[in-house]
Amino acid sequence: MCQKQSASIGDSSCPEGEKKRRTELQTADLNNSVSQGGELQEVIEGHKMSLKRRCEHVTEGTHEAGSGTLLNKIYTELYITEGQSEEVDTQHEVRQLERTSKKNIQDTPIKCQDIFKVLSEQQRHIRVVLTNGVAGVGKTFSVQKFSLDWAEGLENQDISLVLPLSCRELNLIRDEQHSLLSLLHVFHPTLQKIRAEDLSVWKLLFIFDGLDESRFSLGFNNHRVISDVTRVSSVDVLLVNLIQGNLLPSALIWITSRPAAAYQIPPSCVDRITEVRGFTDSQKEEYFRRRFSDEDLSKRIISHIKASRSLHIMCLIPVFCWIATIVLEDMMTRDQRGELPKTLTDLYSHFLMVQIKRKKQKYGGKQRPEELTEADKELLLKLGRLAFEHLEEGNIMFYSEDLERCGLDVSEVSVYSGVCTEIFKRESVIFQKSVYCFVHLSIQEFLAAVYMFHCYTIKNKRIMGSFLKYLKPTPFSWFSWLFTNNDPVKSLDDFLRRALMKSLKSKNGHLDLFVRFLHGLSLESNQRILGGMLDQRNSHPETIQKVLNNLKEENSGEISPDRSINIFHCLMEMKDQSVHQEIQEFLKSGKKSEKKLSEIHCSALAYLLQMSEEVLDELDLEQYNTSDEGRRRLIPAVRNCRKFQLSGSFLSTSHWKVVASAMTSNPSHLRELILSKNKSLTDADVKLLSSAMMHPNCRLETLRLWCCSLSEISCDSLASALRSNPSHLRVLDLSGNQLKDPAVKLLCGALQDPLCELETLRSVRDDPVLSQV
């Protein structure tokens, strides 16, 4: 008997019989391996076929049977960039669109097929990619295009398996226990024959699409470590371990999310951040040309959209292009008497009625196509209630229990037919459970506004009682002030003023578009479009004028100036162009100090300056003839200027946050910041500005803090910024601050750091020049 178990076949120390037996065993193992390899290859090919069937057809706004369109037929290349816009969690997504509508020449565009490819020598291996983008901008389409190209053998063939796992479907098993292996078997039945050992040797790509739709929390700091793909745990723990690399450390991970939810993934876990910006101007036009064989019609639609800034900006979003197409095609191809929509409320009101008309044309009915039946109204109000409640909670995906709480019977055919398929759809079915969503977040916001406006117009506590008992307490307890005996709403202008103030207090502006729609719905013209959905008796010209006056005179106090800009947008939704026209004339005149600017003028000016294609050389708030509140509202324009100057102690931390965001924006234009006599500048505020100087986007070269009563703590923050890499600051002027020795030592210590590139540091010591480096 051979004592050497590891002897080779040709080893002379082994008898001939042993050699023969071992040869037979190795041959059998090899044949088994080849056979199994063939089986696994068949599994992979079967998975590709399944994935191709899933991804090759898409639906735009509807899931009616037979409505799918070939993805490759309508797919228009999206503008995807490396990196992301700043302040993603403090701006409503429409405001983010406005900010990113100006193409940045410094952007690095990436095709979705190249999302894991290293683009420069500085980049290391890319394992985890986080892709941000506002609702409807094309994140899921990008995932589908990537998956389809792989399944068809066109792109990324070095990847063994592409494994999409939709967060909206993962929600359905959030209370269940699974191993990673069983999870794949459940969501991809074609992979039933895949074994645990196969996962460790193959190159896998897991795609978690729609993190913002997830209803479970990801605890990256406190969870059980799992490294075995057969170990059973909760779904959220499996995802965290997979993202962190404890499970399958060689697997690629692609996560898509709306910006406000992306914070759940720690930056240390991400190798590349990308942002889907939607369509460029040329891509918008390509989309509309693809939609219509009638070239003249596509040209008319493109021309109209270009004429309205709000519509043109929203058309960055592919889904919004589809909504605009539905409405404008209907209005341009029939005997249209009314004016084409120019505001968002106009457009969405028409969109709702186009769907009602299509429903009646398809299913028949005695009423005229544009009339709403009581059943139509009831269904839309139930959908509006669902939209409103979950808008407060931040949910955009719904399940059967959510519908039932709002009185929607999921077993009724009407829920899935007619009007619902174009507004509210059943997204997918898995485990005999359905997932629902509105076609786009803005439709949810619009229907929530319709519902809220309806609730105000009926003002009947007895009717509302059945609704109130279902509502959960939320930070924005709207019904508590709308139907309270202590402080009842007295009139339409009072209702809208309170709604506006509630929205202005939102930290992330998630109610901004909702409130714009509320104001737009107050117009009798939009109420008329909605065919009796809303009571028009409250919209007298005198009342509307009161609403307009309230908007123009609103004092937003300590609220962020970014929030205050929404007051101007509410005016625009009410078709009041007076402020916009006055500011346009003001800009043309070039006489900053002559015209007295009101607060609403300053909000409008801040918006227009911020959105201008031309970067301002200098923005000096003292040059404008306005109040301190007006100057506060002008601050967002700092994002689009090279030199910013202000003096006086009238700013709070919320205002300094806007200045800091200008220093870290992509791109950052700010090169010189001059602050004088800002004695309200706290240590925390200086730390905020210093942290902004350490941001890789910051290009600030000159910082002057004259007579700002800086403390030792503030100087320590500034010293840290001077040591940062890269630091572009060349001049730091601290004149008039009476710095004490400890503060001076901190600054001198920073000057000696090899990373410090400062050339001039000024202070009001014995010599006005503390150091000339």
Side-chain angles (χ1 to χ4, degrees), residues 194-209:
I194 295 293
R195 305 166 305 172
E197 51 266 35
D198 300 321
L199 297 182
S200 61
V201 296
W202 285 354
K203 185 176 181 180
L204 308 176
L205 167 59
F206 291 87
I207 303 177
F208 299 107
D209 187 28

Side-chain angles (χ1 to χ4, degrees), residues 29-175:
D29 286 343
L30 181 62
N31 290 336
N32 184 52
S33 177
V34 170
S35 173
Q36 194 167 41
E39 276 188 17
L40 291 176
Q41 190 58 40
E42 287 181 13
V43 169
I44 292 175
E45 292 303 318
H47 177 68
K48 283 189 172 183
M49 291 287 290
S50 173
L51 200 56
K52 180 181 176 182
R53 285 194 297 270
R54 183 195 297 195
C55 297
E56 66 182 349
H57 284 87
V58 294
T59 52
E60 287 186 291
T62 173
H63 268 210
E64 285 186 294
S67 65
T69 306
L70 285 172
L71 173 62
N72 286 331
K73 181 179 179 181
I74 66 165
Y75 183 80
T76 304
E77 192 71 44
L78 290 158
Y79 191 59
I80 305 174
T81 63
E82 187 154 23
Q84 69 177 31
S85 302
E86 297 301 314
E87 284 204 317
V88 293
D89 58 343
T90 61
Q91 297 282 338
H92 186 279
E93 291 188 348
V94 172
R95 290 287 292 120
Q96 293 175 46
L97 281 177
E98 292 166 349
R99 296 267 297 281
T100 59
S101 64
K102 301 193 310 180
K103 187 175 178 180
N104 176 11
I105 59 173
Q106 299 176 11
D107 286 337
T108 304
I110 303 175
K111 291 186 176 181
C112 72
Q113 294 89 346
D114 299 334
I115 210 83
F116 285 95
K117 292 180 181 176
V118 175
L119 300 180
S120 67
E121 294 179 0
Q122 287 75 32
Q123 288 178 328
R124 56 193 174 98
H125 169 67
I126 296 169
R127 191 183 76 86
V128 179
V129 174
L130 174 61
T131 296
N132 288 307
V134 301
V137 79
K139 300 183 297 295
T140 297
F141 265 35
S142 296
V143 165
Q144 285 186 250
K145 178 63 174 172
F146 184 102
S147 302
L148 180 61
D149 285 351
W150 175 82
E152 292 183 333
L154 301 176
E155 299 280 354
N156 293 288
Q157 294 306 290
D158 58 314
I159 297 175
S160 306
L161 284 176
V162 172
L163 304 163
L165 292 168
S166 166
C167 290
R168 65 187 61 167
E169 293 182 344
L170 287 172
N171 287 338
L172 296 170
I173 58 167
R174 62 186 181 274
D175 297 325

Side-chain angles (χ1 to χ4, degrees), residues 235-249:
V235 175
D236 58 324
V237 171
L238 290 178
L239 296 190
V240 168
N241 278 280
L242 194 56
I243 293 168
Q244 284 186 329
N246 301 321
L247 265 175
L248 300 179

Side-chain angles (χ1 to χ4, degrees), residues 11 37 43 63 139 156 163 178 193 200 216 272 311 332 358 420 423-424 485 540 592 654 668 684 715 723 729 739:
D11 192 337
V43 169
H63 268 210
K139 300 183 297 295
N156 293 288
L163 304 163
H178 280 276
K193 294 182 180 179
S200 61
F216 44 82
R272 169 178 281 167
L311 300 188
M332 288 181 176
R358 287 185 172 185
C420 286
I423 297 170
F424 185 71
N485 286 319
H540 299 299
K592 298 179 183 177
S654 66
S668 178
C715 288
R723 294 189 189 96
L729 201 66
L739 300 180

Side-chain angles (χ1 to χ4, degrees), residues 656 675 678-683 685-686 689 705 708-710:
W656 293 118
L675 311 176
N678 280 278
K679 296 187 178 179
S680 61
L681 193 67
T682 66
D683 289 336
D685 298 332
V686 175
L689 296 177
L705 297 168
C708 291
S709 300
L710 297 181

Side-chain angles (χ1 to χ4, degrees), residues 152 597 718:
E152 292 183 333
L597 296 179
L718 291 170

